[in-house]
Amino acid sequence: MAMQSTRRIALLICVLLLAACASFPPNPPLAQYNPAAGYRFDQLERGANSDELFIIVSFSGGGTRAAALSFGVMEALRDTQIEWKQRKVSLLEEVDVISSVSGGSFPAAYYALYGARIFDEFPEKFLYRPIQSDLLKQLFLPYNLVRLASPSFGRSDLAAEFYHREIFNGGTYADVIKRGQRPFIILNATDMSRGTQFSFIQDQFDLLCSDLNGIPLARAAAASSAYPGGLTPLTFQNHAGSCQYQQPPWVALAAKDHSSRINPRRTARAEERLSLTDEGAGRRDYIHLTDGGVADNLGLRAPLTALTSTNHPWSVLQMMNQKKVHKLVIITVNAATDPATQRDKTPNIPGLVDTLTAAATVPLANYSFDTLELLTATVRTFNQEARLIEGCKKLAATKGEQCTLDIPTPHQVQWFPIQVAFEYIADSEERNWFKNLPTSLELPHSAIDRLRAIGRRLLSEDPNFRKLIQALQGCLPDAQQAC
């Protein structure tokens, strides 16, 4: 009996030690800040890619549903042949930036690592695989149950390990940098404490004095898809103050603009940056990241800021002002569904899970619509200002040479806003079928096939996509005409 008690005590001690040792993997510190190194837009090779045709693609959240829809759009872009700069290329080869959140981050991350291999490998690696069931199996392994008892190791850490081993083959951002090719792929999570977007690019990690090179793509994808409730936030250590990083001059100026109300968006961005580099009483030693869809379920926030600010790591506005961009294409892949209304058929008070889910998703659906409208208005205003100045100059010139206005005319840009969303399916029965697909990491094979097909179809049916193809003298995928 004494022997059995001793064994049990020894086993308990082992379990407690194992739980105590379990922790999130540390993100490496950055030895020295270097703006000319790391995963940055301006460090990627353009190759044959042209800035004159600038294409941004965003992938929304929505689990496997979003991943399959996004993958279908990627297939369509690959199969769309265009003539640009005296050469025939696929439209996918001209994509400059992909911004993603949650479920859309899985195809984005895989493409960042392996490029065109995604079309041969990703369906079996991820889309058709019962990811959710596989994760549950990992969760209930005795070894992992013990590790999960640790306060600094959660379900998303376990998911990241699974993705790293089974999906991304151990790939890190160092491997992405070795490829060194556009598109610049931005996986977005949410800073849980501030509710702001956190992007997996070196410009963001500079604030933490952390080296993105050593971070696995799997961990970025896990952070981007850490759906509140089902998965836990992921933790990253803040090494701020250890790499001689200096905030750009605009940050200090913007942080002082509270009372002036000159540019509240810029002021908010400055405060976000300062919150990560504060070395005083407000220092944040650890940053907790949750699902990117909490801050922006379309993945459009970063592109929108790039269009409206010259103080941005990859400012499209600056490129437009420099007359580098002639045609601007933004393709939004939105896998959003309708909010559930079954609760409205009963007087019963909604439960905790239902309430939390609604609080996390319903406001975002409304915000997503506003984001799209703001995106369209931004480019429209840019071109309207260009036309207004040009008109004033022409009118002044008619009054005589002495009235000529020496005002630089902003460069007009052809704008192609393209939306792929279930909302644009004409048949109501088909539309409702897609809108009622669950947000999970596991769907039937037949549903995956339909999602891939509808992604290709909705892209080809978009009127602005057709205008783009005409402007580029290209051909649609699956079209009858020869390319």
Side-chain angles (χ1 to χ4, degrees):
M1 183 68 74
M3 183 65 71
Q4 289 182 348
S5 297
T6 302
R7 288 175 179 173
R8 288 173 183 170
I9 293 172
L11 179 61
L12 178 60
I13 292 173
C14 288
V15 168
L16 292 174
L17 287 173
L18 183 60
C21 292
S23 181
F24 67 92
N27 47 298
L30 185 66
Q32 174 66 51
Y33 166 62
N34 181 358
Y39 190 55
R40 308 175 196 272
F41 177 76
D42 58 8
Q43 295 301 305
L44 298 180
E45 292 291 335
R46 283 173 51 189
N49 192 306
S50 166
D51 286 338
E52 294 177 22
L53 172 62
F54 201 88
I55 302 177
I56 301 171
V57 182
S58 73
F59 293 156
S60 81
T64 297
R65 183 186 70 232
L69 184 69
S70 299
F71 185 73
V73 170
M74 292 181 73
E75 290 179 302
L77 293 173
R78 174 201 60 188
D79 296 338
T80 302
Q81 298 296 309
I82 61 170
E83 292 186 10
W84 183 246
K85 298 296 179 182
Q86 289 80 50
R87 61 192 182 92
K88 286 189 176 182
V89 294
S90 76
L91 202 56
L92 184 61
E93 293 176 76
E94 285 290 335
V95 172
D96 297 277
V97 177
I98 296 177
S99 176
S100 67
V101 296
S102 199
S105 287
F106 287 95
Y110 206 91
Y111 192 59
L113 268 174
Y114 301 118
R117 281 173 52 184
I118 190 173
F119 299 110
D120 297 322
E121 301 172 356
F122 189 70
E124 296 303 322
K125 277 270 189 179
F126 184 87
L127 293 180
Y128 295 118
R129 187 168 183 170
I131 299 293
Q132 196 155 297
S133 296
D134 288 344
L135 289 177
L136 286 172
K137 291 175 184 176
Q138 296 294 312
L139 179 66
F140 290 110
L141 290 174
Y143 169 72
N144 288 331
L145 285 173
V146 173
R147 297 168 73 206
L148 288 170
S150 168
S152 58
F153 187 87
R155 294 186 297 279
S156 288
D157 294 294
L158 199 61
E161 290 180 351
F162 176 81
Y163 302 150
H164 187 63
R165 182 177 65 250
E166 300 291 333
I167 297 172
F168 296 108
N169 302 320
T172 68
Y173 274 92
D175 298 308
V176 177
I177 293 170
K178 284 179 185 177
R179 288 192 70 240
Q181 299 175 13
R182 290 193 192 179
F184 185 50
I185 294 179
I186 310 166
L187 276 60
N188 298 290
T190 299
D191 182 333
M192 185 177 178
S193 297
R194 295 185 62 89
T196 54
Q197 191 172 75
F198 187 99
S199 301
F200 280 79
I201 57 177
Q202 187 56 53
D203 293 280
Q204 179 86 67
F205 276 76
D206 285 339
L207 302 172
L208 308 184
C209 279
S210 183
D211 188 356
L212 184 64
N213 283 18
I215 293 176
L217 266 289
R219 193 156 177 82
S224 182
S225 60
Y227 189 77
L231 291 165
T232 53
L234 276 86
T235 302
F236 289 79
Q237 190 170 357
N238 189 355
H239 304 283
S242 63
C243 64
Q244 292 78 52
Y245 175 76
Q246 296 292 322
Q247 294 276 10
W250 70 267
V251 173
L253 296 172
K256 296 177 182 178
D257 282 348
H258 284 281
S259 59
S260 69
R261 307 182 187 183
I262 294 174
N263 191 336
R265 287 180 181 275
R266 188 180 71 155
T267 299
R269 286 177 53 224
E271 293 291 352
E272 290 170 21
R273 297 175 67 92
L274 291 170
S275 81
L276 295 172
T277 58
D278 190 348
E279 295 183 54
R283 180 181 174 84
R284 304 170 64 193
D285 294 315
Y286 299 94
I287 309 301
H288 303 283
L289 302 182
T290 191
D291 193 301
V294 173
D296 167 26
N297 201 40
L298 290 178
L300 271 178
R301 185 168 178 174
L304 182 59
T305 306
L307 282 170
T308 56
S309 172
T310 56
N311 300 313
H312 191 269
W314 50 279
S315 174
V316 180
L317 178 59
Q318 191 172 74
M319 295 173 69
M320 291 162 65
N321 288 336
Q322 293 170 349
K323 301 184 179 181
K324 292 181 179 180
V325 177
H326 300 333
K327 291 178 171 61
L328 176 60
V329 182
I330 299 185
I331 302 172
T332 306
V333 184
N334 184 3
T337 59
D338 279 338
T341 56
Q342 290 302 312
R343 71 176 70 91
D344 299 330
K345 297 182 182 296
T346 172
N348 297 341
I349 297 173
L352 178 61
V353 174
D354 187 19
T355 302
L356 290 175
T357 301
T361 59
V362 175
L364 275 173
N366 297 328
Y367 175 72
S368 295
F369 175 79
D370 291 339
T371 302
L372 289 170
E373 291 298 303
L374 182 59
L375 185 67
T376 302
T378 298
V379 180
R380 185 188 300 123
T381 300
F382 184 90
N383 281 337
Q384 284 175 344
E385 290 176 355
R387 288 192 292 270
L388 179 62
I389 292 174
E390 186 64 29
C392 288
K393 291 174 69 173
K394 288 181 179 179
L395 180 61
T398 63
K399 304 300 182 181
E401 185 175 343
Q402 71 279 8
C403 295
T404 300
L405 297 176
D406 186 19
I407 305 174
T409 303
H411 176 54
Q412 287 197 47
V413 177
Q414 280 188 283
W415 160 235
F416 300 90
I418 297 163
Q419 295 187 48
V420 174
F422 301 140
E423 185 63 34
Y424 301 112
I425 299 174
D427 181 78
S428 60
E429 184 175 343
E430 183 185 23
R431 182 171 64 250
N432 290 334
W433 186 88
F434 281 105
K435 283 191 169 188
N436 283 285
L437 285 172
T439 301
S440 64
L441 288 175
E442 188 171 332
L443 289 173
H445 285 207
S446 58
I448 299 295
D449 291 337
R450 289 186 66 177
L451 283 161
R452 291 170 64 179
I454 199 65
R456 294 191 293 266
R457 195 183 93 196
L458 287 172
L459 180 67
S460 65
E461 290 176 351
D462 184 273
N464 284 318
F465 183 73
R466 290 184 171 273
K467 289 178 183 177
L468 172 66
I469 298 306
Q470 291 174 358
L472 298 174
Q473 299 179 347
C475 62
L476 297 171
D478 303 321
Q480 297 299 316
Q481 73 265 29
C483 297

